[in-house]
Amino acid sequence: NVVPTPVKINLINMLSETGLQVIEATSFVSPKWVPQMADHTEVMQGINKVPGVSYPVLTPNLKGFQAAVAAGAKEVSIFGAASEMFTKKNINCSIEESLERFHEVMAAAKAANIPVRGYVSCVLGCPYEGKISAAKVAEVSKKMYSMGCYEISLGDTIGVGTPGSMKEMLTMVMKEVPVGALAVHCHDTYGQALANILVALQMGVSVVDASVAGLGGCPYAQGASGNVATEDLVYMLNGLGIHTGVDLQKLMDTGTFICNALNRRTNSKVSQASCRL
Amino acid sequence: VIVPTDTKIELINRLSRTGLPVIEVTSFVSSKWVPQMADHKEVMRGIERHPGVQYPVLTPNLQGFHSAIAAGATEVSVFGAASESFSKMNINCSIEESIEKFEEVVKSARNMNIPVRGYVSCALGCPYEGNIVPAKVAEVSKRLYSMGCYEISLGDTIGVGTPGSMKKMLEAVMKEIPLSALAVHCHDTYGQALANILTAIQMGVSVVDSSVSGLGGCPYAKGATGNVATEDVIYMLNGLGINTGVNLYAVMEAGNFICTALNKKTNSRVAQASFHTGTIK
C-alpha cells in the first residue's frame, strides 16, 4: 500500500502553507528496503519550496546523501539509537558502528555546507531492551552533537515514556548538549505524548516534532497509535500562549485532506472534536 | 442503548478490586430525565461494598438524596457550573438557584454525617459561553465549599482546557479553597487531559477523576471523546513515581470487560497498545 507521489507532494505543499517551519519531506533510503520511499527524488523535485521553510530528508548513508543533494536537498538527517539491541535488530550493527557509518555523511555534508540533524531513537525505552539508561542517551547524543549535528531530536520511539522518565532523561542529556540544540520526538502510543512534551518545554526545550493527523503507526504494537498529532500539539502550545506561527485551521484542513486520501481516520483529537462543532 | 443492570454491577465489582479508592456508582436522578440511570436503586443495592472503597452517588435534589440514603448510599455529590448559560440549558435555572437547591441536600447530608462532594462544571470553558473567567470558577467553588462540600472537583466539561488555562484557573481557585480539598475532572475531547492533569499535580492537586477505558462521550461534540481514561492516568502517575495503590493491569481488565460488554473500542491508549503487543509495559 504505497501512497501515490502526487498525494505526498500535495500534502507537503499544504503543510508549507500552514506556517510550519520544518517539513521532513522524504527518506533517501534504498527502495529495496523501503519501497514506500522509492519516489524520494520525484517528491523532492516536485514540491513547492516555500521561502523560510526547511525540507530536510533522511539520509542513512553516503549514497543516500549524494542522491539527496542531487535532488535538491538543503538539509539532511541521520539516525542513532540509545539501544544496542534496537540498532542490531534494525540495521544489523552496533551503535558505535552505526555512528562510524555516519562519519562519511557528516564529512560530505560539512564540505557542502549542508546542516545535519541527528535523531536518537529509544530514548525513553526500547521494544527489546525495555528500560534505557539516561546516561546512555546522553552519551549517544553527545557523540552525534560532537560529530557536527546542529540539533539532536530525542525520540520516544515506542511512546512508553512519562513525564517522570522524560525529566530524568533530559536532565542527563542537558549536561552534555545545550538545551538550544535539543528537540523532542514523542510518540503517543500510551497517550503520554503531550504530557511528556509539556515537561520538555518546562525544561527549556523549544523544538517539537509531530505528525499531521498523528499519522504513522507503531511497528511494535500493531494497531496502536504512533506519532503525536501536530494539531493537538499546536492546540496545547496556543493555550500556553506560545507563538508558533502555525495556522491551526489550515493544519486541520491538511489533516482532513491526507486522511481522506488514505481513507483513514485522523488520530488527532482536536480534529475529531472540531469536525463536529 | 441502556447498559443492563447486571453489567453495571459487574463493572463496579471489578473496579472495586483494582485498588481505586473511590468509584462513583450511579445517579439518583429522575428516570424521566435520564432513563439510563433508572436502575439506580438496584445498582446501589446490588454491588459489593469493599472496605476502604467509597461509593458516592449523584443527588441532584433532596428527593434524590433521600432515595439514595434509603438505597444505602454513604456519600453523595452535587453539581454546580461556572457558566450561567450551561446551568440554564442543563437544569433550567441560574447558578444561584441551583446552589440553593444543593443547600438543602448538603444540610440534610450534614445532619446525617454523609460527606458531600461538589462538582463545578465548565471550569475551563463552556459550550455556550466559550471562555470562562477563573474568578467565576473560584466564586462557585467557594460557595460549594463553604456550604459544606468536603471536596470540589473542577471539571473541564468539554475538554477545551490547556495547561495554560488550567494553571490560571487553579491559581484563582486556590486563593479560596485549600489545595487538599481540590480535585480535577478533565475531559480528553481535545487530547489535552493528561497535560492538564500533570499541570494540576505540579500545582499540588492530588485527586484526579477519570473513567475506565475513557468511556463516556461528549454530548456537545458528537463522536468526540469524553472522559480521560483511568488506564492512561495511572500509567502517567506510575511513571511519575506516585504510589496510587491501583493495579493498572486490573483496571485494564475491567476496561476490557466493559468494552466487550458494550461492543465498543476502548478510548485508552495504554489499553490499545498493551492488548496489541500482548504484554503490559
Side-chain angles (χ1 to χ4, degrees), chain B residues 8-25:
Chain B
K8 293 182 186 182
I9 289 171
E10 176 66 24
L11 172 63
I12 294 165
N13 289 344
R14 281 169 183 253
L15 290 174
S16 289
R17 296 175 210 137
T18 61
L20 285 162
V22 183
I23 301 162
E24 198 169 78
V25 172

Side-chain angles (χ1 to χ4, degrees), chain A residues 160 162-164 188-192 194-195 198-199 202 220-222 225 232 235-236 239-240 267 269-270 273 276-277, chain B residues 160 162-164 188-192 194-195 198-199 202 221-222 224-225 232 235-236 239-240 269-270 273-274 276-277 281:
Chain A
V160 290
T162 63
D188 202 35
T189 324
Y190 291 79
Q192 309 293 305
L194 284 190
L198 179 63
V199 167
Q202 289 173 340
Y220 308 98
Q222 220 210 41
S225 55
D232 299 0
Y235 187 92
M236 181 173 80
L240 281 163
N267 279 326
K269 288 199 163 165
V270 169
R276 271 74 182 184
L277 289 176
Chain B
V160 290
T162 62
D188 202 35
T189 324
Y190 291 78
Q192 309 293 306
L194 284 189
L198 177 64
T199 301
Q202 288 176 339
K222 210 178 112 148
T225 52
D232 299 0
Y235 187 92
M236 180 172 80
L240 281 163
R269 294 222 157 140
V270 169
S274 303
H276 279 111
T277 53
K281 301 255 188 275

Side-chain angles (χ1 to χ4, degrees), chain A residues 24-73:
Chain A
E24 200 169 76
T26 185
S27 176
F28 281 79
V29 66
S30 159
K32 253 194 325 219
W33 295 118
V34 190
Q36 304 95 314
M37 297 285 178
D39 58 358
H40 40 59
T41 303
E42 274 181 272
V43 170
M44 203 61 209
Q45 287 173 342
I47 56 176
N48 292 337
K49 291 205 177 143
V50 173
V53 182
S54 297
Y55 300 90
V57 299
L58 270 53
T59 51
N61 49 39
L62 188 61
K63 187 171 165 204
F65 173 80
Q66 286 160 344
V69 174

Side-chain angles (χ1 to χ4, degrees), chain A residues 132-200:
Chain A
I132 291 292
S133 104
K136 188 71 183 175
V137 181
E139 181 196 320
V140 177
S141 303
K142 182 180 187 172
K143 285 212 172 100
M144 296 184 79
Y145 185 66
S146 313
M147 274 166 74
C149 292
Y150 76 92
E151 191 169 89
I152 306 298
S153 175
L154 303 161
D156 181 12
T157 308
I158 49 170
V160 290
T162 63
S165 57
M166 172 64 86
K167 185 167 195 235
E168 202 191 320
M169 184 274 295
L170 280 178
T171 302
M172 287 299 275
V173 174
M174 280 163 59
K175 290 187 173 132
E176 309 287 352
V177 181
V179 72
L182 291 178
V184 290
H185 183 110
C186 297
H187 277 209
D188 202 35
T189 324
Y190 291 79
Q192 309 293 305
L194 284 190
N196 294 344
I197 289 166
L198 179 63
V199 167

Side-chain angles (χ1 to χ4, degrees), chain A:
Chain A
N1 243 345
V2 182
V3 181
T5 308
V7 172
K8 293 183 186 181
I9 290 173
N10 197 34
L11 170 64
I12 294 167
N13 288 345
M14 285 185 80
L15 287 172
S16 291
E17 300 300 315
T18 61
L20 286 162
Q21 297 165 290
V22 183
I23 301 163
E24 200 169 76
T26 185
S27 176
F28 281 79
V29 66
S30 159
K32 253 194 325 219
W33 295 118
V34 190
Q36 304 95 314
M37 297 285 178
D39 58 358
H40 40 59
T41 303
E42 274 181 272
V43 170
M44 203 61 209
Q45 287 173 342
I47 56 176
N48 292 337
K49 291 205 177 143
V50 173
V53 182
S54 297
Y55 300 90
V57 299
L58 270 53
T59 51
N61 49 39
L62 188 61
K63 187 171 165 204
F65 173 80
Q66 286 160 344
V69 174
K74 298 272 187 295
E75 180 175 330
V76 302
S77 307
I78 62 173
F79 273 75
S83 157
E84 289 290 357
M85 277 187 74
F86 188 84
T87 307
K88 190 104 189 90
K89 293 272 205 184
N90 259 30
I91 51 179
N92 201 24
C93 63
S94 69
I95 297 177
E96 190 60 43
E97 288 165 337
S98 75
L99 294 180
E100 289 279 331
R101 287 182 196 175
F102 287 129
H103 274 283
E104 304 183 294
V105 175
M106 296 307 302
K110 202 164 176 195
N113 248 335
I114 300 237
V116 181
R117 190 190 211 221
Y119 283 89
V120 181
S121 303
C122 297
V123 300
L124 298 179
C126 167
Y128 311 106
E129 287 185 18
K131 208 163 188 290
I132 291 292
S133 104
K136 188 71 183 175
V137 181
E139 181 196 320
V140 177
S141 303
K142 182 180 187 172
K143 285 212 172 100
M144 296 184 79
Y145 185 66
S146 313
M147 274 166 74
C149 292
Y150 76 92
E151 191 169 89
I152 306 298
S153 175
L154 303 161
D156 181 12
T157 308
I158 49 170
V160 290
T162 63
S165 57
M166 172 64 86
K167 185 167 195 235
E168 202 191 320
M169 184 274 295
L170 280 178
T171 302
M172 287 299 275
V173 174
M174 280 163 59
K175 290 187 173 132
E176 309 287 352
V177 181
V179 72
L182 291 178
V184 290
H185 183 110
C186 297
H187 277 209
D188 202 35
T189 324
Y190 291 79
Q192 309 293 305
L194 284 190
N196 294 344
I197 289 166
L198 179 63
V199 167
L201 293 172
Q202 289 173 340
M203 292 177 74
V205 171
S206 58
V207 182
V208 183
D209 301 354
S211 167
V212 66
L215 289 175
C218 181
Y220 308 98
Q222 220 210 41
S225 55
N227 285 298
V228 68
T230 314
E231 299 92 316
D232 299 0
L233 170 63
V234 171
Y235 187 92
M236 181 173 80
L237 297 176
N238 285 349
L240 281 163
I242 292 171
H243 184 230
T244 62
V246 178
D247 183 327
L248 181 53
Q249 187 56 57
K250 285 190 180 157
L251 190 54
M252 286 197 286
D253 293 342
T254 307
T256 301
F257 158 74
I258 190 62
C259 286
N260 285 341
L262 298 180
N263 195 26
R264 286 178 71 151
R265 279 196 66 192
T266 181
N267 279 326
S268 156
K269 288 199 163 165
V270 169
S271 215
Q272 277 167 35
S274 305
C275 288
R276 271 74 182 184
L277 289 176

Side-chain angles (χ1 to χ4, degrees), chain B residues 180-223:
Chain B
S180 55
L182 291 178
V184 290
H185 184 110
C186 297
H187 278 209
D188 202 35
T189 324
Y190 291 78
Q192 309 293 306
L194 284 189
N196 293 343
I197 290 166
L198 177 64
T199 301
I201 291 173
Q202 288 176 339
M203 292 175 76
V205 170
S206 58
V207 182
V208 180
D209 299 354
S210 63
S211 167
V212 65
S213 293
L215 289 175
C218 180
Y220 308 98
K222 210 178 112 148

